[in-house]
Amino acid sequence: MPEPALYPLDLLTTTEARFTADSSAYASTAHLDALRARDYARLDAGGHVYLDYTGGSLYAQSQLDAHLKLLSENVFGNPHSDNPTSQHMTELVEAARAYVLRYFNADPAEYACIFTQNATGALKLVGEAYPFEAGSRYLPLYDNHNSVNGIREYAHRAGAEVTYVPVLPPDLRLDAARLESELATRDASKNNLFAFPAQSNFSGVQHDLGWIARAQANGWDVLLDAAAFVPTNRLDLAAVQPDFICLSFYKMFGYPTGIGALLAKRASLAKLRRPWYGGGTLVYSTVQGEYYFLAPGETGFEDGTVNYLSIPAVEIGLRHLESVGIEAVHTRVEALTGWLLAQMTALKHSNGAPVVKIYGPTTTEARGGTIQFNLFGPNGTMMDGYTIEKMANKLHTSVRTGCHCNPGAREMALGIHEEDLAPLFKDKDRMTYQDFLVVVDGKKTGALRVSFGIASNFADAYKFMHFAESFVDQTAEAVSQFKVDLEIVQHP
């Protein structure tokens, strides 16, 4: 494949200077460049172009230093006791819990913070305990993470109705008229749950948070998936008040992994009926009488021993994000996203055919820093995304390929219909990925995704365009041949 020409790396400095001069918003975030040099120096030291922030944010060196100092200078014990080491640990866990609520401007009298393994764990807590029954409704969007989709299995098992609200190509925004109609249709004597993401992890669309109050005014409980939204946006729970919010802290600030949270209105939490109990969730239980009393509030939902040594790192991470300024992160991400969208949509083959197709909005209006796309040859044939990812790997460039656990958005974006998928499930209890490729056009298995975050800079966006430009006037067949050549090298 020929060397790139439109985005030569020796023009990076002058192009960045021009961009900074033209974008006062980006220029206002110059302190983030100093932050990158100080706290994320390993990126440039290793020659990395990291564009997978929606998959997971990056941790700062100062976060690690602060957490290591805390651990190395103290003795901590399991918090389920009254001994000195246990009490000290309990204090730090509760301080972190309080700080989470403070960060999201949530009144602790109104909201509870339940530590979970991740956002998926938070969603499972809601799904398994929500009082679905015959006559209840579960109303998710097509644009939801699989962990939100999975709640439908609890709803089905309880005899509730499950209805999906579509998102509409090309921008993949929700069908507002359909949603209005569905919210108006419910049995007021039953519990009904509406679930949607504040920001799509597939397309970057930011759905209107005004739907929270509108749904609640119609008698619905609202579950907000905030995992892709809060890393680069402010979520103010005094301004919008969903009943349940799920998030993962590693997506916000990289470390620690393995800890998320369910933020829940205490009144809504009281509706949940847990199907079991475990250690740490009880006031008392007996074997002989088979009785038990579940602990009230957060304690009744934190199964077993919490990840107590890592939980203090959550407060460290939130303080780091506050010191940087979430508004500054948002501003920088928006500026970089706007520049990259403009460059990608303008990239053409010699015959005028577009190189890139964006799935989602092509401007920064009501969208985040996640860009979903595929590359196409001059004749309109889609290039294999997994091969392109492997090519990016060789340049130390981290992108992501697939459906990103959001099959509904993928199906809408790529034009996959129910009749296309039906053979996958006909007379089958299980299926393999190869089955999927046989039934569905292999090139429609997913798309490429790039995303910006706290340590992103202009060089990341520019270097990616340098890479993308190398596909101008290249055919899908040529890209496939690269895949064959690569496999021969890896498996001689």
Side-chain angles (χ1 to χ4, degrees):
M1 297 180 69
E3 285 297 311
L6 295 180
Y7 299 89
L9 293 180
D10 58 357
L11 292 183
L12 169 58
T13 301
T14 55
T15 306
E16 180 175 8
R18 186 166 59 249
F19 171 67
T20 303
D22 292 341
S23 175
S24 59
Y26 184 81
S28 72
T29 66
H31 67 285
L32 296 183
D33 292 319
L35 173 76
R36 175 168 170 143
R38 180 180 68 252
D39 246 346
Y40 302 89
R42 62 191 184 278
L43 280 170
D44 294 322
H48 287 281
V49 176
Y50 187 78
L51 294 168
D52 193 24
Y53 285 89
T54 301
S57 189
L58 298 178
Y59 52 82
Q61 183 62 42
S62 60
Q63 289 173 250
L64 302 185
D65 294 343
H67 192 214
L68 179 60
K69 184 175 188 293
L70 180 72
L71 296 178
S72 63
E73 293 181 357
N74 293 277
V75 178
F76 295 123
N78 187 322
H80 291 162
S81 184
D82 288 329
N83 65 61
T85 55
S86 177
Q87 286 181 342
H88 191 187
M89 192 70 256
T90 299
E91 290 168 2
L92 290 178
V93 168
E94 294 310 311
R97 192 191 309 279
Y99 207 90
V100 171
L101 293 176
R102 172 184 157 185
Y103 180 85
F104 291 107
N105 199 22
D107 183 350
E110 186 172 8
Y111 275 96
C113 171
I114 299 162
F115 288 119
T116 62
Q117 185 179 10
N118 44 37
T120 294
L123 291 163
K124 186 173 185 290
L125 280 178
V126 176
E128 69 182 9
Y130 192 79
F132 290 118
E133 60 180 313
S136 293
R137 298 192 69 199
Y138 178 48
L139 186 66
L141 302 186
Y142 270 58
D143 183 14
N144 266 315
H145 192 277
N146 262 336
S147 298
V148 179
N149 291 329
I151 293 175
R152 75 186 183 204
E153 300 307 310
Y154 292 113
H156 281 312
R157 198 166 300 161
E161 176 188 336
V162 176
T163 304
Y164 276 94
V165 175
V167 292
L168 305 176
D171 282 1
L172 301 179
R173 300 193 187 277
L174 62 83
D175 185 335
R178 174 70 180 276
L179 180 55
E180 286 278 11
S181 175
E182 296 295 346
L183 290 176
T185 307
R186 68 177 181 88
D187 184 339
S189 68
K190 308 294 183 181
N191 291 291
N192 303 282
L193 184 62
F194 168 50
F196 76 105
Q199 178 175 313
S200 173
N201 75 315
F202 184 89
S203 66
V205 164
Q206 292 180 343
H207 298 292
D208 181 8
L209 298 183
W211 286 109
I212 296 169
R214 291 195 285 274
Q216 289 170 332
N218 276 284
W220 291 75
D221 294 320
V222 178
L223 168 59
L224 183 72
D225 179 359
F229 182 79
V230 292
T232 59
N233 298 274
R234 175 73 65 188
L235 178 62
D236 184 347
L237 293 182
V240 294
Q241 298 191 316
D243 298 273
F244 308 102
I245 307 101
C246 72
L247 53 92
S248 287
F249 292 110
Y250 76 92
K251 289 185 179 289
M252 296 180 70
F253 37 76
Y255 176 86
T257 56
I259 302 181
L262 171 65
L263 308 182
K265 279 188 174 180
R266 295 187 184 277
S268 303
L269 197 63
K271 289 184 179 182
L272 303 186
R273 297 291 179 264
R274 301 212 63 191
W276 83 305
Y277 68 87
T281 64
L282 298 166
V283 173
Y284 181 78
S285 73
T286 174
V287 172
Q288 297 183 74
E290 294 193 21
Y291 300 120
Y292 71 95
F293 293 103
L294 200 66
E298 301 93 334
T299 304
F301 289 85
E302 292 179 342
D303 297 328
T305 301
V306 295
N307 190 350
Y308 59 86
L309 290 178
S310 293
I311 285 175
V314 170
E315 180 175 345
I316 292 169
L318 289 172
R319 288 184 181 276
H320 172 69
L321 204 51
E322 283 187 318
S323 70
V324 173
I326 191 66
E327 287 76 16
V329 175
H330 173 87
T331 297
R332 170 160 287 211
V333 166
E334 183 177 49
L336 291 174
T337 302
W339 183 86
L340 188 56
L341 283 169
Q343 304 305 310
M344 292 174 76
T345 54
L347 196 60
K348 307 291 184 184
H349 295 288
S350 296
N351 67 357
V355 178
V356 181
K357 180 175 182 178
I358 305 292
Y359 303 114
T362 55
T363 71
T364 57
E365 182 180 358
R367 66 120 65 234
T370 300
I371 302 174
Q372 192 83 212
F373 65 98
N374 271 314
L375 302 180
F376 291 80
N379 63 353
T381 303
M382 185 188 297
M383 299 179 184
D384 179 59
Y386 293 98
T387 302
I388 293 167
E389 182 179 18
K390 289 183 173 64
M391 296 169 76
N393 291 348
K394 292 172 68 67
L395 300 174
H396 300 284
T397 298
S398 295
V399 301
R400 189 168 288 259
T401 306
C403 82
H404 318 296
C405 295
N406 193 328
R410 172 187 62 185
E411 290 161 18
M412 291 296 97
L414 300 181
I416 300 174
H417 304 289
E418 184 175 357
E419 53 268 28
D420 299 322
L421 299 171
L424 290 172
F425 303 99
K426 184 180 180 182
D427 302 324
K428 291 184 180 179
D429 293 326
R430 301 183 67 83
M431 62 164 286
T432 67
Y433 185 65
Q434 291 306 313
D435 292 333
F436 176 68
L437 294 179
V438 169
V439 174
V440 178
D441 179 356
K443 293 186 176 64
K444 287 189 174 183
T445 57
L448 290 143
R449 185 181 76 186
V450 297
S451 51
F452 296 109
I454 189 170
S456 296
N457 64 8
F458 182 77
D460 292 331
Y462 188 90
K463 289 176 181 177
F464 176 76
M465 278 309 303
H466 179 71
F467 170 67
E469 196 275 336
S470 68
F471 294 93
V472 170
D473 291 335
Q474 297 299 312
T475 65
E477 292 74 21
V479 171
S480 296
Q481 183 58 48
F482 178 89
K483 178 181 180 181
V484 171
D485 295 342
L486 186 64
E487 289 174 346
I488 291 173
V489 170
Q490 291 178 336
H491 305 286

